[in-house]
Amino acid sequence: MSDSTSEAGSESTSTPRRDFIREMVADDVATGRFGRGPATRFPPEPNGFLHMGHAKSICLNFGIAQEFGGTCNLRFDDTNPATEDVRYVEAIQRDVQWLGFQWDNLFYASDYFEKLYEIAESLVLKGKAYVDSQNEEEIRAGRGTVTSAGTPGPYRDRSVEENLDLLRRMRAGEFADGTHVLRAKIDLAHVNMIMRDPLLIRIRHAHHYRRGNDWCIYPLYDFAHGLSDAIEGITRSLCTLEFKDSREIYDWLVKEAGFEHPPTQIEFARLELDYTILSKRKLLRLVNDGHVTGWDDPRMPTIAGLRRRGVRPEAIREFCETIGVARKDARVEIAAFEHAVRNDLNMEVPRVLCVLNPLKVVLTNYPEGQVEDLDAPSFPHDVPKTGSRSMPFSRELYVDRDDFMEDPPKKFYRLAPGKEVRLRFGYLITCNEVVKNDAGDVIELRCTYDPATRSGQAPDGRKVQGTIHWVSAAQALSCEVRVYDRLFSQPDPDAVPEGQDFISALNPQSLVVIPDAKIEPSVANDPIGSRYQFERTGYFMSEVESSTPEKLVFNRIVGLRDSWAKEVKRA
RNA sequence: UGCCCCUUAGCUCAACUGGCAGAGCGUCUGACUCUGGAUCAGAAGGUUCCAGGUUCGAAACCUGGAGGGGCAACCA
């Protein structure tokens, strides 16, 4: 952010490191090469929900506009009637805004169809484009291969008049799908396959979600994209690496169309994240095949999913900043994202105690019927926030089953027969007796508390290693907790054995529902959607769709780092 | 097999036009002594893929090699 420059003398020690794209934009500003301010755009196709990969692009495009006083448009690249839907354009707008960005203009490539058509005619007139009437297979065959040149088809040298006539009749709807296409006339032997007379326009008698049935010739990506950028006065068109080879046709088209100071394409590496998948096509399959509950399933890497899970936009922006932008394919560890999420939440959300897997504890020497209120600060000492709540304490409590072992290994600092632990914000207790049912399951612990240790400290100075969380049985609220974990069980979900696909890599444990957890009563009247750290467990948010005042439901946003689990794994 | 891109710490990545190779995660140690897990501090960790060359100086530029990726959709 902008720290004040008024601070004395210190040479800009905090000049932010710039990536290669920002360097270029800074240079554009310095040299005035475009004759206009920096202008970027975020151009999603409305055929799915936005995900983390888009978040990277959004932060880049909108971020550059903010930092350099430029503009950033939201443009829907809606040139394929088969896949697009208003529902997606609405979701995309909501997600961009939720991330904290506002576009300068909202545009649709489908509004440029007429303009694009005019450009197409002008290319025909210049002899730079022709109508090809070969079928798909013939065109493919005529393109050659990466190592051999293509061969001209029989329609390549049609006259300008014939091309123009055919193009007009294509537009008028006289021809069936696939009978003709408009192609740029460039070079069938070009080393760049994309330049071998790329297809510009195809016939599609289909319903377009915005144009209805009034338009039947649809521009292909390469034709529409650069020219749309140029029409909007974009200066730098930021896209991912796989479009590298498209840059040549991009430049060719904006030049042939006669744009002054046309935009220039810059490519950066697309984001890949461990243990998840960032491909709209594959995410759509998860949705359609019912592997998740929808695009906003909290396990999805979509913006909507992360929002529902409880992640804040600040964390996503912070993450995008830390991963940077470069020209090398980057696979980022999901741990880095989880770190950003914790880092954000740590400074923001209050701590509460929630027992996920309740085990009853009876304090045999605590007066029956007595309830005392313990004061519990909501934030640890190093979070600069204040506030506290009171926690009822009584003879019957719940602690977490994980915090008790009947036959503990060494270095287990929690409850075990004969062992003493500290109850967070409360007394030291010692376990004296383990009660089991007929099946041999532990159903209750009978303990004694030390009345002199209300502060958590023993007056005699004895050390107690473990501190565990707890709730008072009578006052605790029952709640449902949905423990979300990684969607896939391996870092690269596509790296599966022959014959299988990413579906087989799904993590069967990605959602574990705990129907009856016990949470301290202080949260009872908090608004739905409140976030907390459940101490020693993780960060949680009350589920917006499912929580009711009668029955709270919590999503686990992210767990805490767990060194004991690591210790266990090591053993 | 043609063209293009990439190769830097254990891992994932930075390093503007050649000028002391840096982060995050992970690991280890310490502090806070009421979160075993938060947070903070410190440490360890490098033949910049290899071989040559240019230069006072190369991760960066040049040549060759090795390994990985992209491109031959009427998708974007």
Side-chain angles (χ1 to χ4, degrees):
Chain A
M1 289 308 225
S2 62
D3 43 358
S4 77
T5 48
S6 59
E7 210 55 47
S10 69
E11 266 272 290
S12 56
T13 46
S14 62
T15 0
R17 275 264 170 82
R18 276 175 169 168
D19 52 73
F20 72 101
I21 295 177
R22 276 175 242 256
E23 285 295 338
M24 272 183 225
V25 175
D27 188 63
D28 296 343
V29 173
T31 61
R33 68 173 276 182
F34 287 101
R36 56 185 185 274
T40 58
R41 100 272 92 113
F42 172 63
E45 183 188 8
N47 65 347
F49 276 51
L50 262 24
H51 54 60
M52 283 299 294
H54 298 105
K56 176 178 180 179
S57 174
I58 290 168
C59 290
L60 217 210
N61 279 291
F62 285 94
I64 283 174
Q66 283 175 0
E67 290 155 38
F68 294 93
T71 59
C72 182
N73 297 339
L74 174 60
R75 179 176 76 239
F76 288 101
D77 241 349
D78 51 357
T79 56
N80 185 357
T83 55
E84 297 155 7
D85 197 285
V86 255
R87 136 167 206 260
Y88 296 126
V89 333
E90 287 159 5
I92 288 168
Q93 292 185 53
R94 185 180 65 232
D95 290 347
V96 170
Q97 288 177 319
W98 179 79
L99 273 176
F101 298 103
Q102 184 57 54
W103 45 88
D104 291 279
N105 299 287
L106 178 61
F107 289 136
Y108 296 83
S110 56
D111 286 341
Y112 303 147
F113 286 169
E114 282 80 2
K115 199 147 207 161
L116 261 14
Y117 175 81
E118 285 168 29
I119 292 170
E121 279 205 358
S122 74
L123 291 174
V124 167
L125 256 9
K126 288 162 64 177
K128 299 281 190 175
Y130 64 98
V131 173
D132 195 341
S133 307
Q134 300 181 99
N135 65 32
E136 208 170 329
E137 294 71 43
E138 292 165 337
I139 289 176
R140 202 192 333 270
R143 193 148 34 213
T145 71
V146 290
T147 50
S148 63
T151 49
Y155 308 102
R156 195 169 195 263
D157 292 313
R158 286 216 251 234
S159 68
V160 168
E161 293 68 31
E162 190 182 359
N163 281 323
L164 201 55
D165 175 61
L166 253 12
L167 179 59
R168 287 178 175 161
R169 290 165 62 194
M170 280 168 66
R171 179 185 181 174
E174 288 186 30
F175 304 120
D177 290 4
T179 50
H180 307 280
V181 291
L182 184 73
R183 289 234 252 172
K185 193 172 184 176
I186 302 177
D187 179 3
L188 257 351
H190 205 286
V191 291
N192 182 350
M193 294 296 295
I194 287 177
M195 296 300 276
R196 321 250 262 224
D197 289 10
L199 272 62
L200 269 20
I201 291 178
R202 76 228 202 239
I203 301 170
R204 274 291 171 280
H205 292 277
H207 179 86
H208 184 276
Y209 78 99
R210 283 188 85 241
R211 300 296 304 246
N213 298 314
D214 84 318
W215 197 262
C216 66
I217 53 169
Y218 288 89
L220 275 316
Y221 170 84
D222 281 320
F223 183 52
H225 198 89
L227 293 173
S228 297
D229 286 341
I231 289 166
E232 293 177 18
I234 301 305
T235 56
R236 295 294 190 171
S237 177
L238 279 23
C239 67
T240 43
L241 249 24
E242 68 269 24
F243 293 105
K244 180 95 173 107
D245 292 331
S246 288
R247 185 152 96 203
E248 215 168 348
I249 184 64
Y250 187 113
D251 292 340
W252 187 90
L253 280 165
V254 293
K255 178 165 174 283
E256 293 297 339
F259 285 96
E260 302 245 335
H261 304 296
T264 302
Q265 174 177 308
I266 310 177
E267 308 84 18
F268 61 94
R270 137 198 307 279
L271 173 66
E272 287 188 86
L273 258 186
D274 272 356
Y275 295 99
T276 191
I277 236 158
L278 297 181
S279 149
K280 273 196 277 189
R281 211 189 77 247
K282 289 173 185 162
L283 292 174
L284 179 63
R285 198 169 140 209
L286 293 180
V287 173
N288 286 345
D289 294 359
H291 297 292
V292 295
T293 59
W295 284 101
D296 69 342
D297 186 299
R299 290 166 293 184
M300 292 280 271
T302 52
I303 306 301
L306 295 168
R307 173 174 56 231
R308 181 157 169 206
R309 180 138 163 188
V311 172
R312 305 199 320 150
E314 288 83 351
I316 296 176
R317 281 189 255 123
E318 157 72 18
F319 172 70
C320 289
E321 210 163 294
T322 61
I323 57 175
V325 20
R327 238 182 300 236
K328 192 182 75 169
D329 290 314
R331 172 164 222 104
V332 178
E333 291 169 313
I334 193 78
F337 178 62
E338 292 168 346
H339 179 261
V341 175
R342 284 189 206 105
N343 206 32
D344 171 55
L345 261 13
N346 176 47
M347 301 307 273
E348 289 297 324
V349 305
R351 274 61 174 170
V352 297
L353 303 189
C354 177
V355 175
L356 262 28
N357 299 299
L359 173 60
K360 182 163 280 187
V361 167
V362 177
L363 301 177
T364 52
N365 63 338
Y366 194 88
E368 237 163 297
Q370 178 176 312
V371 178
E372 61 185 304
D373 286 316
L374 301 178
D375 185 61
S378 296
F379 297 95
H381 63 90
D382 52 332
V383 173
K385 283 182 175 273
T386 55
S388 65
R389 78 284 186 185
S390 78
M391 293 189 61
F393 186 87
S394 65
R395 183 182 160 91
E396 297 200 353
L397 312 171
Y398 289 116
V399 300
D400 225 300
R401 297 198 96 92
D402 291 349
D403 285 333
F404 171 78
M405 280 184 96
E406 191 171 12
D407 187 19
K410 274 199 162 52
K411 294 175 88 175
F412 183 79
Y413 301 145
R414 310 178 194 180
L415 256 193
K419 290 260 201 168
E420 185 172 43
V421 295
R422 176 165 35 240
L423 296 177
R424 179 75 165 153
F425 307 121
Y427 298 93
L428 302 183
I429 63 169
T430 303
C431 177
N432 304 307
E433 194 185 331
V434 178
V435 182
K436 297 180 182 176
N437 63 11
D438 295 341
D441 304 321
V442 177
I443 54 167
E444 184 180 307
L445 265 24
R446 300 182 75 81
C447 305
T448 50
Y449 85 113
D450 181 344
T453 58
R454 176 166 170 159
S455 64
Q457 303 279 20
D460 62 8
R462 69 180 185 276
K463 286 266 186 180
V464 174
Q465 288 268 26
T467 300
I468 65 174
H469 55 285
W470 57 277
V471 292
S472 175
Q475 291 82 12
L477 273 23
S478 282
C479 61
E480 177 181 320
V481 175
R482 299 175 183 172
V483 180
Y484 290 106
D485 203 346
R486 296 165 182 183
L487 228 200
F488 291 91
S489 48
Q490 53 181 267
D492 182 356
D494 286 317
V496 291
E498 259 320 293
Q500 297 182 14
D501 67 3
F502 67 100
I503 298 296
S504 65
L506 280 165
N507 174 13
Q509 303 291 321
S510 62
L511 169 59
V512 174
V513 176
I514 298 172
D516 195 13
K518 302 290 184 184
I519 190 166
E520 61 170 82
S522 71
V523 303
N525 297 315
D526 290 345
I528 302 299
S530 293
R531 296 178 179 85
Y532 309 91
Q533 184 194 102
F534 292 177
E535 290 207 23
R536 306 208 308 135
T537 304
Y539 291 94
F540 294 79
M541 182 173 82
S542 53
E543 230 284 338
V544 177
E545 312 274 322
S546 328
S547 274
T548 65
E550 292 72 39
K551 176 78 173 189
L552 291 169
V553 178
F554 292 96
N555 285 341
R556 186 172 80 171
I557 306 169
V558 64
L560 258 24
R561 282 163 55 207
D562 189 343
S563 60
W564 170 248
K566 214 170 292 167
E567 193 72 33
V568 169
K569 205 176 282 181
R570 212 178 293 183

